[in-house]
Every structure is written in C-alpha cells, then in structure tokens.
Amino acid sequence: MLTRIDLRGRDVDPRSLLPRAQLDVSSAVEQIRPVIDGVRHHGVDAIQEATERFDGIRPAHLRVPVEALKEAEERLEPEVRAALLEVIARTRKVHADQRRTDVTTQVVPGGTVTERWLPVRRVGLYVPGGLAMYPSTVVMNVVPAQAAGVEGLVVASPPQKESGGLPDDRVLAACSLLGVDEVYAVGGAQAIAMLAYGSRGTDLDRELDLADDCEPVDLITGPGNVWVTAAKRLVRGVVGIDAEAGPTEIAILADDTADPRHVAADLISQAEHDPLAASVLVTTSAELADAVDAELVRQVSLTKHTERIQTALTGEQSGVVLVGSVDQGLRVVDAYAAEHLEIQTRDARDVAMRVRNAGAIFVGPWAPVSLGDYCAGSNHVLPTGGCARHSSGLSVQSFLRGVHVVEYTEEALREVAHHVVTLATVEDLPAHGQAVTARFPSGGAA
C-alpha cells in the first residue's frame, strides 16, 4: 500500500527524497485576499457575507450567547464531560510547569537588567470545524494561554447548520468548561480577518450591536485548512500568529522489534484526519514494512473513514523509507522533522533522546500519537511541514514576551560611557554618544 524509498547503502541527503504533502499556500493567499480586505474595510457586513458564501448560513449575530455555552455544557454526555475534564486537568498540570519567572542580573554594581515575562493581552483562538470537530483543540489552545496569564481569550469556530448557526456543541461545551465566554460563530479566512482587524471595519464611529462587536486581538493561534493558513499569512505583522500549520503528519522510526499491528494502527490514526495527511514509516526491517503493508490492507477496510484514509496513505506524502541502521534512520527523521514522531525500536528512550527535530516524540509501544492528541498532558498544536527544525509546538511560552528592564545609576553609566561613545562613533551615530555625554556636562564621563 505504501510507496517505498530504499536508502540502504546510500549516503545521501534525504531531504529532497522524502515524501511530503504539497500545500500551495501562495495561490490560496491571492484567492483569499479579497475576503481579508473586505473584512478589514467593511467589518461585520463582510464577515456575514463570507459566512453565507462559504458556510451556507447567515447567523443572526456573530457572538455566541453565553447561555448557549452553558446549555451546550449541560447537554454533554457524562463520559464526554469526564474525558474533557481529564484532558483539562492533565494539560494544566504539564503547562503549569512551563511558567517563566522574572530574573534580574547585576551586570556591574549599580547596573541591572531584569527580564520580565509579560503575557499577550488578547488572544484569538481558532478552532476548525471541517472534516472533524475538535473540542480537544479548545483545551490545547486555552490552557497554555490561561497559564501564561492572558487577560482576553476569544474563540472563533465555524457555524454549523445542524447546530442552528452555532459552532459545534462539543466545542462550545469545552469553552464553557474552561471559563471562556467570548466565542464567535465565524470560521475560515473571515474568522482570521475578524480576529486581526475586529468587526467594525474602517468606520470606527459605527454603532454595532454588542453581539457583533469583536475587538482585534494581538495573537492568533490554532490550526486550520489551507484558507486559514493563507489568511494567517496575510495578517501576520498586524497580529502575531503561532504558525502556518499544514496537514498533519506522523513518522515512525521502527526496527524489527516493532509490532506491525501497532505501527499500522498509528499510521492510520493520522491518515484519518485529512486526505493530505502524511504517514511515513522509517525502518531498518523490510520484513516489518511487508507486515505493516499487510496490516494496513486489513485495518483500513475496517475503518469508518476508509476512503479518506486510503487517499492519504497512497498519496505522495506517505510512504516507507528503508534504512540500513537506526543511526541512518535518525538522520532521516531529523531531516523530515515530523510533527509527530514515534520511536518503536530497541532502547527506544535512548534513541528518542538522540532525536533533534520533531514537534513531539512518542517513546515505545505504549505511547501512541493518539495519546498525545488527547490525554498525555502534552500539547497537540505542533509544527508541520518540516518546521520542527526551527519551531516549537504551542506552549505557555507562545503567549509570553520577554521584556528587558534596564536600570543604571549615574556612576554605573559614567563608568561605561566611553565605550558607548566609542561604538557610536564607529557606527557613525554620534548622537547616540551625545545622549550619554549630555548627562555629564562637566566632562566627567569616564
């Protein structure tokens, strides 16, 4: 079922040979630009028009009533409520340990630099609603923002016809459980534009119903399809964004000790997300690859989303890479920099500790990616498309900014003044030096 790339005995850079989903964000940017510009200039009118065009529904108001959030929570099945509360508890436990503390460094007597960690004031959290609904994504975005101390949390999620123009009931319930009461029934590119520019448009004196008045945010996080990704690219700079997320991906580094049933099930679990999802097996064992192929044929036929999974597994973004050793396998997975990386080898933890590039690493046979999607306590908003080479997953740090506070006494400045003047002169910025010497009119600078 999976295509194969044989790198055994080949000393090559694997980056150009590895399967990868092709996502044409640049083309999507140009197609979606009029939507973004429309929301920027015309606010709620453009948001409603885009929602009717793309979602086939025109909600009476953008904001979800607070009572609808509470009602959605009350409608939760007991087992779903228990599962969400467990996810919230575990995710809060992990993210509480990510909090940063201010640090003051004494550079010289009388001269200190304090690094303060300040939360972003207002954050927009996007929760998709396409092929699947993601109450777990609400948890993964909200918990670290709350742990960071963010004051204003806004959730935007597409309206659903079957929900009467509100977002998915389970998404609303998750917001209620987390204490988030500012939620908008807006999806796609128009939601990203609304979060970036607000819903007033350029007429700042326009009177809006409070249920349609969304104030701009400072940072947007959360996954989405190519249109959401393109919209994020367009508003980046106006607001911060977490990442340009692409289709989900899993890589599994395995040797002959891996159970082919587990490997196949884990590859399928991510293929279930999207026809463009990537499932890649890197293995030292051709026999394991054969057994996994056989398991895929058997297991895929038993799944609910057979066609979607089949498309993902047979696409150019998925495949098997045969390697001559675990060391070569490590070079391959580092080059691939998967969103999710499983290690199913001998001494799996030792091998995992040698990995350099991955969004999250799952060690051994009892830590499947699905655990991380929900109940491990880790965050499932992770870098895709090879971005794990330079970027991290969502965390408390994503919502904090480090600000240096500089305090020097007169004597401490006097002692270093000549160095400032020297460097200002070298860079032909004499006014920089004069800003220091002006403080010592008697010429008393050291």
Side-chain angles (χ1 to χ4, degrees), residues 86-280:
E86 184 66 25
V87 174
I88 291 168
R90 292 185 180 210
T91 307
R92 279 181 171 156
K93 185 173 184 179
V94 171
H95 289 75
D97 284 343
Q98 296 176 358
R99 294 183 181 130
R100 306 294 293 264
T101 56
D102 294 356
V103 176
T104 297
T105 302
Q106 181 173 298
V107 183
V108 294
T112 64
V113 175
T114 299
E115 185 166 40
R116 296 196 65 203
W117 291 99
L118 302 174
V120 174
R121 184 186 68 86
R122 183 170 164 84
V123 173
L125 313 172
Y126 185 76
V127 182
L131 293 176
M133 302 303 164
Y134 297 100
S136 61
T137 293
V138 179
V139 179
M140 298 296 170
N141 281 269
V142 168
V143 167
Q146 289 177 333
V150 173
E151 292 178 14
L153 290 173
V154 185
V155 170
S157 192
Q160 308 294 320
K161 289 182 180 179
E162 57 272 24
S163 299
L166 297 178
D168 178 74
D169 229 31
R170 292 148 296 181
V171 168
L172 299 183
C175 291
S176 182
L177 287 171
L178 288 159
V180 176
D181 62 9
E182 188 175 354
V183 182
Y184 295 89
V186 184
Q190 61 271 25
I192 302 302
M194 178 191 73
L195 294 172
Y197 296 109
S199 60
R200 286 188 166 274
T202 51
D203 183 2
L204 300 182
D205 296 324
R206 177 184 183 182
E207 290 189 11
L208 283 183
D209 189 302
L210 287 176
D212 290 324
D213 192 1
C214 178
E215 180 189 342
V217 303
D218 303 304
L219 173 69
I220 299 173
T221 70
N225 61 18
V226 67
W227 308 112
V228 169
T229 300
K232 280 185 172 183
R233 180 177 292 185
L234 278 172
V235 302
R236 185 174 192 169
V238 177
V239 294
I241 66 170
D242 53 350
E244 292 187 8
T248 190
E249 57 199 23
I250 180 176
I252 302 176
L253 176 59
D255 61 16
D256 59 356
T257 65
D259 187 325
R261 294 171 302 168
H262 297 173
V263 173
D266 294 351
L267 294 171
I268 288 170
S269 72
Q270 294 307 297
E272 184 177 40
H273 274 285
D274 190 289
L276 289 175
S279 296
V280 177

Side-chain angles (χ1 to χ4, degrees), residues 241-424:
I241 66 170
D242 53 350
E244 292 187 8
T248 190
E249 57 199 23
I250 180 176
I252 302 176
L253 176 59
D255 61 16
D256 59 356
T257 65
D259 187 325
R261 294 171 302 168
H262 297 173
V263 173
D266 294 351
L267 294 171
I268 288 170
S269 72
Q270 294 307 297
E272 184 177 40
H273 274 285
D274 190 289
L276 289 175
S279 296
V280 177
L281 170 61
V282 180
T283 182
T284 58
S285 172
E287 292 76 15
L288 175 70
D290 291 339
V292 168
D293 262 345
E295 277 294 323
L296 288 174
V297 171
R298 184 184 70 82
Q299 292 186 33
V300 169
S301 65
L302 302 175
T303 61
K304 178 180 179 180
H305 304 294
T306 301
E307 184 176 351
R308 186 192 309 168
I309 292 168
Q310 185 87 19
T311 301
L313 292 176
T314 57
E316 63 179 350
Q317 72 274 15
S318 299
V320 173
V321 181
L322 294 173
V323 292
S325 65
V326 170
D327 284 345
Q328 186 182 22
L330 281 167
R331 291 194 294 274
V332 169
V333 297
D334 272 342
Y336 186 70
E339 177 188 16
H340 310 98
L341 173 63
E342 290 186 2
I343 305 295
Q344 298 198 33
T345 65
R346 294 177 180 83
D347 304 316
R349 192 177 195 282
D350 290 342
V351 174
M353 292 301 104
R354 295 168 60 194
V355 173
R356 189 177 188 89
N357 301 327
I361 305 169
F362 300 83
V363 182
W366 309 115
V369 167
S370 298
L371 175 67
D373 283 340
Y374 299 114
C375 287
S378 58
N379 203 292
H380 78 202
V381 182
L382 301 166
T384 60
C387 291
R389 289 194 298 271
H390 53 73
S391 299
S392 304
L394 202 68
S395 69
V396 172
Q397 181 64 40
S398 305
F399 300 95
L400 296 173
R401 298 154 298 130
V403 178
H404 280 172
V405 179
V406 180
E407 298 175 90
Y408 268 59
T409 64
E410 178 181 346
E411 287 307 311
L413 176 62
R414 188 189 302 275
E415 187 273 332
V416 79
H418 64 291
H419 290 312
V420 176
V421 171
T422 296
L423 292 173

